[in-house]
Amino acid sequence: MARPYGLLRAGFPYVKTLGMRRITNFPIDIALGKEDRIYVLCRQENAALIRKLNYADEDLESIGSWGTDEGQFQWPVALIADADENLFVSDEALNRITQFDKEGEVLGTWGEKGSLDGQFDRPAGMTFDLDGNILIVDSMNHRIQKFTTDGKFLGKWGSRGSGDGEFESPWGITVDELGDVYVADWGNDRVQKFNSGGEFMFAFGSSGDGDGQFNRPTDVAVDLDGDIYVADWGNNRVQLFNSEPRFVQKFLGEATLSQMARDYMMTNASPNRLRDMAKLEPQRALRRPKSVVISEDGRMYVTDTDSYRVQVYQKEVIPLDVTQIAPPMRSPTLHQE
């Protein structure tokens, strides 16, 4: 489906919160499945797992555990799911990729530490390309590598630096519906865009906390309208850009209690008293969001990592054709002279 000529941006309201402490401790990434299944990758010292939830915020089961054996994790970073809900997890401590089916059975493990083709030094973000292969951010080798889903090396690009097409400890990655690749260049405080062959197209962002600036961006996502979302980890926010890319808005957090948190607190008097005494405004804010995921229907999921939860927002736009929006104006403001 072609991208719309223009958009009437009606709003992007907060919808709900998923997860809670003890269930989704330090969520670092999300993968979406069918029938509103949501897979949440969680990690902390001596604990790591995938928590399976649904959109009603019910805790369905967990997959994996902390350790070094098959099907275990030491310090997982990214999680993706294919059309069959087979799950792939990168582990920067073990320098490997582990594949599970949706029930948690291990289907394969591959990868080893090194700098040769097919080896890793702290693998981070992952995404599928349009051919179903996996692009993996090889963070401390400052490059992107491409593999088949069973681990066969297919290619690479990138090197260490701050020039076009170079990286400094990159982290997140995504592919849009046209096949173009976007990389959150963590150490350079920018996002870079490449074509499907790894050729540099453009970069945007700089260090800072102003609109369009970043402080260690950890993830990037692109929706079917071409809008670009960046998890601005160090600034505790998510930023939205259009495809140009022009800054559109930022999300600072609007969290309410999740359903599972409400159920828990209704059986525990002490947390109710503590919340009654607390200042609630700071409780809404995002804290160190590491991942942003956009569903096909415009639902945005943000891992509110240091608050042990996921915040959900809903994009509201109306597609416009060329007859429904004026040509570009000389000044980018709603108020024209």
Side-chain angles (χ1 to χ4, degrees):
M1 183 175 64
R3 291 179 178 177
Y5 180 81
L7 294 173
L8 172 56
R9 297 182 183 274
F12 214 132
Y14 164 83
V15 178
K16 67 189 305 183
T17 294
L18 303 172
M20 60 170 284
R21 190 173 184 175
R22 299 182 178 87
I23 303 298
T24 52
N25 281 355
F26 297 102
I28 190 170
D29 205 2
I30 300 171
L32 303 179
K34 300 173 183 177
E35 300 173 345
D36 274 339
R37 284 186 289 273
I38 303 164
Y39 300 88
V40 183
L41 180 63
C42 304
R43 77 176 192 191
Q44 64 186 100
E45 187 175 357
N46 299 326
L49 53 79
I50 301 168
R51 185 70 70 178
K52 186 192 296 187
L53 310 177
N54 60 23
Y55 193 66
D57 202 31
E58 296 172 319
D59 180 19
L60 304 180
E61 64 176 320
S62 64
I63 296 172
S65 61
W66 187 84
T68 60
D69 293 338
E70 185 178 77
Q72 294 185 314
F73 317 117
Q74 280 281 297
W75 203 241
V77 178
L79 170 67
I80 55 175
D82 66 16
D84 296 319
E85 288 182 60
N86 295 314
L87 307 174
F88 297 79
V89 181
S90 63
D91 191 319
E92 65 177 354
L94 298 176
N95 290 293
R96 72 184 186 190
I97 310 300
T98 300
Q99 180 183 358
F100 301 86
D101 67 16
K102 66 181 179 181
E103 305 303 329
E105 180 179 347
V106 177
L107 301 179
T109 301
W110 43 274
E112 61 180 3
K113 183 175 176 59
S115 58
L116 300 177
D117 292 350
Q119 295 180 324
F120 300 118
D121 189 353
R122 299 197 174 190
M126 301 184 293
T127 191
F128 294 105
D129 67 13
L130 298 190
D131 296 320
N133 298 310
I134 302 178
L135 299 177
I136 300 177
V137 175
D138 187 9
S139 185
M140 297 308 291
N141 283 323
H142 312 284
R143 65 186 181 182
I144 309 301
Q145 296 198 74
K146 180 189 291 190
F147 298 84
T148 63
T149 54
D150 58 2
K152 179 183 177 181
F153 173 78
L154 296 176
K156 64 182 180 182
W157 77 82
S159 59
R160 189 172 192 175
S162 58
D164 293 348
E166 297 178 330
F167 303 109
E168 183 64 48
S169 305
W171 190 312
I173 188 170
T174 196
V175 170
D176 67 19
E177 86 286 4
L178 305 176
D180 294 329
V181 182
Y182 304 73
V183 180
D185 191 0
W186 188 85
N188 285 320
D189 287 326
R190 64 182 180 180
V191 171
Q192 297 195 68
K193 181 179 179 180
F194 303 85
N195 67 17
S196 59
E199 296 179 353
F200 175 82
M201 298 178 70
F202 64 71
F204 65 95
S206 61
S207 299
D209 60 6
D211 292 346
Q213 294 183 314
F214 302 120
N215 182 4
R216 300 299 184 249
T218 48
D219 200 17
V220 58
V222 180
D223 68 20
L224 295 177
D225 298 320
D227 282 345
I228 306 167
Y229 306 76
V230 182
D232 189 8
W233 174 81
N235 285 323
N236 297 302
R237 63 188 182 182
V238 171
Q239 296 196 69
L240 167 60
F241 302 80
N242 69 9
S243 60
E244 295 176 5
R246 177 182 59 80
F247 171 80
V248 175
Q249 71 179 99
K250 56 182 174 284
F251 302 85
L252 302 178
E254 298 288 341
T256 54
L257 280 179
S258 67
Q259 185 60 53
M260 66 172 63
R262 298 177 196 199
D263 293 343
Y264 170 79
M265 293 184 73
M266 289 305 294
T267 62
N268 292 270
S270 179
N272 287 334
R273 175 56 63 191
L274 292 174
R275 186 169 178 85
D276 182 68
M277 297 168 60
K279 295 180 179 179
L280 294 185
E281 186 67 23
Q283 308 302 318
R284 303 166 59 190
L286 290 168
R287 294 199 299 155
R288 298 298 198 228
K290 285 194 170 70
S291 176
V292 57
V293 175
I294 309 296
S295 67
E296 290 187 358
D297 60 357
R299 195 181 285 170
M300 180 176 73
Y301 297 81
V302 182
T303 57
D304 192 357
T305 303
D306 282 11
S307 290
Y308 322 109
R309 63 195 178 192
V310 175
Q311 294 198 36
V312 186
Y313 298 75
Q314 179 63 57
K315 183 178 185 179
E316 296 179 355
V317 295
I318 300 172
L320 303 175
D321 64 32
V322 68
T323 69
Q324 296 172 308
I325 185 171
M329 296 182 178
R330 67 182 183 276
S331 176
T333 175
L334 292 176
H335 304 285
Q336 298 293 320
E337 296 179 357

